[in-house]
Amino acid sequence: MRTRNATLAALAVASLTLAGCSSGGSDDPTPDDSAAPTTGTSEPATAQECLPVPGEQLVVLEDDMMLQNSDNIIPALNADVATDDVLAALDAVSAALDTEGLIELNKAVDIDRQTSEEVAEAWVDEAGISVEETGDGSSITVGAANFTENITLAEIYAEILDDAGYETEVREIGNRETYLPALTSGEIDIVPEYAATFAEFLDGDIDNVVASGDIAETVAALEPLAEEQGLVVGAAADAQDQNAFAVTQGFVDAYGVTTLSELAESCGPIVLGGPPECPERPFCQPGLESTYGLEVAEFRALDAGGPLSKTAITTGEVAVGLVFSSDGALAAS
């Protein structure tokens, strides 16, 4: 039997009306070959002006040079509960979970207003994950941070451990500063974590960067840090929840860019939106400029991947905005 005391929150995302825009001073928002400036064979062509293109569908541009650290979903366990059977069950979840699937999970809860428990049960059934029932009926408490994605992941862990023969409870704890002591003390047994952020948190030295954009390197740095705390980490999923930069589908169609490298190569200075601290944070505007060579004509202070940023992108206030890579608003309409 399972018990739960998590309080779930759901967010609604408003539909936005499309507005027209121009590109490169033309009335036509879609550039063609004639719109790209040319200077003759002896001089390189300059990048086109890529103005915002309003539209409802958000699209994340691929971080092809790995500016962001690898915040892949990874189970963190108290060492006392980290048996081979428990790890095998959780690793089966990681093997089946990718970012697209995580986006759909978040959409189901945050936009479609289903409960995390309902969504978790449906996902486990649809994923077709099969685990041996090797558990002895002992109790396992899965902790969760106080936001819906993490609660849904905790419910998925509990579902699969139920199938493996354990009696599970999902308990919403709070932020990392609150649930980590509960995990190390054994008050809770398992928590869904985010590899890069967890590694940096455990390291604790802001001047010593231990995570990277390579998930294998990040996990290799994380494992000994977890061991020092009496913890074990399982296999990392392909699913990631990390900073990402989004445009509209109309922008992708108009300018033919799908990666941040292509954006920097194809477009002149752009209007960027994000949290107020973005111009000073290395993974935000300075990283886009130093890693990709992107030129920012104007920065607009909005929020950290929230409704202000998403609305600014879809209405054409900014061309590019910071979002979270697993946001339910990224689900294809």
Side-chain angles (χ1 to χ4, degrees):
M1 297 290 296
R2 297 177 55 188
T3 59
R4 300 174 177 81
N5 60 6
T7 302
L8 307 179
L11 301 175
V13 175
S15 298
L16 298 162
T17 305
L18 302 184
C21 77
S22 63
S23 174
S26 167
D27 291 335
D28 183 358
T30 305
D32 55 24
D33 291 340
S34 63
T38 57
T39 58
T41 57
S42 61
E43 299 179 15
T46 57
Q48 62 189 319
E49 183 180 10
C50 296
L51 297 179
V53 179
E56 293 185 357
Q57 183 62 58
L58 294 173
V59 178
V60 165
L61 297 177
E62 181 187 350
D63 181 16
D64 52 313
M65 296 181 69
M66 294 192 295
L67 169 62
Q68 306 300 325
N69 283 339
S70 47
D71 253 337
N72 297 55
I73 308 301
I74 192 167
L77 304 82
N78 183 288
D80 290 341
V81 78
T83 64
D84 290 343
D85 292 338
V86 170
L87 284 168
L90 297 175
D91 288 352
V93 172
S94 293
L97 186 62
D98 58 17
T99 302
E100 183 179 350
L102 188 57
I103 289 170
E104 293 295 335
L105 290 171
N106 287 331
K107 176 181 180 294
V109 177
D110 295 335
I111 299 175
D112 300 337
R113 310 299 290 272
Q114 301 177 52
T115 69
S116 286
E117 180 183 347
E118 292 169 342
V119 171
E121 290 175 351
W123 184 85
V124 170
D125 287 342
E126 293 170 5
I129 300 173
S130 178
V131 295
E132 293 185 30
E133 191 172 343
T134 55
D136 56 5
S138 57
S139 297
I140 293 179
T141 301
V142 184
N146 54 348
F147 59 96
T148 56
E149 175 181 284
N150 204 258
I151 295 168
T152 302
L153 291 168
E155 293 282 0
I156 289 174
Y157 286 176
E159 284 290 332
I160 208 70
L161 290 169
D162 265 355
D163 292 346
Y166 298 93
E167 183 176 343
T168 62
E169 173 190 0
V170 172
R171 186 183 304 172
E172 183 182 338
I173 302 294
N175 60 20
R176 188 173 285 107
E177 287 81 358
T178 302
Y179 68 68
L180 183 58
L183 182 62
T184 56
S185 70
E187 179 185 345
I188 59 176
D189 301 304
I190 302 167
V191 171
E193 262 294 357
Y194 302 85
T197 300
F198 194 37
E200 296 294 348
F201 186 89
L202 292 179
D203 178 66
D205 184 351
I206 60 174
D207 296 321
N208 179 42
V209 178
V210 297
S212 75
D214 186 309
I215 184 57
E217 292 178 1
T218 297
V219 171
L222 171 59
E223 288 175 335
L225 293 169
E227 185 178 358
E228 291 175 6
Q229 300 289 328
L231 305 177
V232 173
V233 293
D238 285 341
Q240 297 177 321
D241 181 356
Q242 59 196 36
N243 289 347
F245 294 95
V247 296
T248 63
Q249 182 63 56
F251 187 95
V252 172
D253 294 341
Y255 302 114
V257 299
T258 59
T259 70
L260 289 171
S261 289
E262 291 173 348
L263 177 69
E265 291 168 359
S266 300
C267 293
I270 54 94
V271 179
L272 173 69
E277 63 272 18
C278 179
E280 286 78 44
R281 293 293 173 88
F283 296 128
C284 206
Q285 182 176 336
L288 291 174
E289 293 170 334
S290 62
T291 300
Y292 287 100
L294 186 69
E295 295 182 68
V296 177
E298 179 184 353
F299 173 76
R300 297 192 182 176
L302 301 165
D303 56 13
L308 293 179
S309 293
K310 289 180 282 190
T311 299
I313 302 167
T314 56
T315 59
E317 179 184 347
V318 300
V320 182
L322 185 141
V323 299
F324 297 117
S325 63
S326 62
D327 195 310
L330 297 171
S333 58

